[in-house]
Amino acid sequence: MGTPTARARRPAAHWIPKDAPAMAKFLLSLHVLVSVLFIGPVAVAVSMFPRRAKAALAAGPDRASDAGVLRVLHRITQVYALLGVSVPVLGIGLAQVMDVLGQSWLIVSMVLTAVAALSLLLFVLPGQQAAVDALDLEPSDERHAKALGGLKTLPMTAGLFNLLWAVVVVLMVIRPGSSTGV
């Protein structure tokens, strides 16, 4: 019998190969930073909003403070959603620099990102706006009742939005078919 062979060591996994251009490293850093800073607050605000909206729209002594919190959460969602547009823009630029734009994991991520954005624009933001508008209405007003009814689906759409972003993050980390060994 011969001597045992040494196990081949796998190179450390990297997001970008060491010989990648500095622009790719810069874009990756910026893409990750922007996604954390801009998508994170939206994810938290949309998750907190439904519960706070129910409290704010219910009659009670804490209504004023809950109404203020509700307005702030809606504003956070609006502003950071607008800033969050930079995440896919930087991602597409990064994908072009890394020459991975046509890979299936990236296409799936882009589609999921678009679905997340549409759920935010078509369901979450209008539901939040209806709840904020109802704060100034009497509980007997039918628009107040309609806003309360809209709060039934808001947690589901907020959860869908956050789930889609979580899947996109996982796809970005594991990058199926990647040659980096991650």
Side-chain angles (χ1 to χ4, degrees), residues 92-177:
I92 290 170
L94 174 63
Q96 286 178 329
V97 169
M98 292 178 61
D99 196 28
V100 294
L101 200 51
Q103 293 187 9
S104 59
W105 64 270
L106 187 64
I107 293 168
V108 170
S109 294
M110 291 167 64
V111 168
L112 292 176
T113 298
V115 172
L118 286 174
S119 73
L120 186 68
L121 290 172
L122 298 177
F123 302 108
V124 175
L125 284 170
Q128 286 185 353
Q129 187 63 56
V132 168
D133 291 345
L135 290 172
D136 298 325
L137 302 173
E138 291 297 319
S140 59
D141 192 314
E142 71 178 55
R143 292 175 293 169
H144 188 274
K146 186 177 178 182
L148 275 174
L151 290 178
K152 292 177 183 174
T153 59
L154 200 53
M156 177 189 66
T157 55
L160 176 65
F161 172 79
N162 286 331
L163 177 64
L164 289 168
W165 275 113
V167 171
V168 169
V169 168
V170 168
L171 285 172
M172 294 291 152
V173 171
I174 65 169
R175 301 183 311 149

Side-chain angles (χ1 to χ4, degrees), residues 38 42 76-87 120-121 125:
F38 294 161
V42 174
I76 288 169
T77 304
Q78 289 177 315
V79 170
Y80 282 88
L82 185 61
L83 293 172
V85 171
S86 62
V87 174
L120 186 68
L121 290 172
L125 284 170

Side-chain angles (χ1 to χ4, degrees), residues 32-101:
V32 170
L33 181 65
V34 167
S35 65
V36 168
L37 293 177
F38 294 161
I39 302 302
V42 174
V44 171
V46 300
S47 296
M48 292 177 63
F49 190 92
R51 184 170 152 246
R52 292 295 191 156
K54 286 178 186 175
L57 292 174
D62 296 330
R63 182 176 178 172
S65 65
D66 284 332
V69 170
L70 196 65
R71 286 186 173 96
V72 168
L73 289 173
H74 180 55
R75 185 71 177 156
I76 288 169
T77 304
Q78 289 177 315
V79 170
Y80 282 88
L82 185 61
L83 293 172
V85 171
S86 62
V87 174
V89 170
L90 285 169
I92 290 170
L94 174 63
Q96 286 178 329
V97 169
M98 292 178 61
D99 196 28
V100 294
L101 200 51

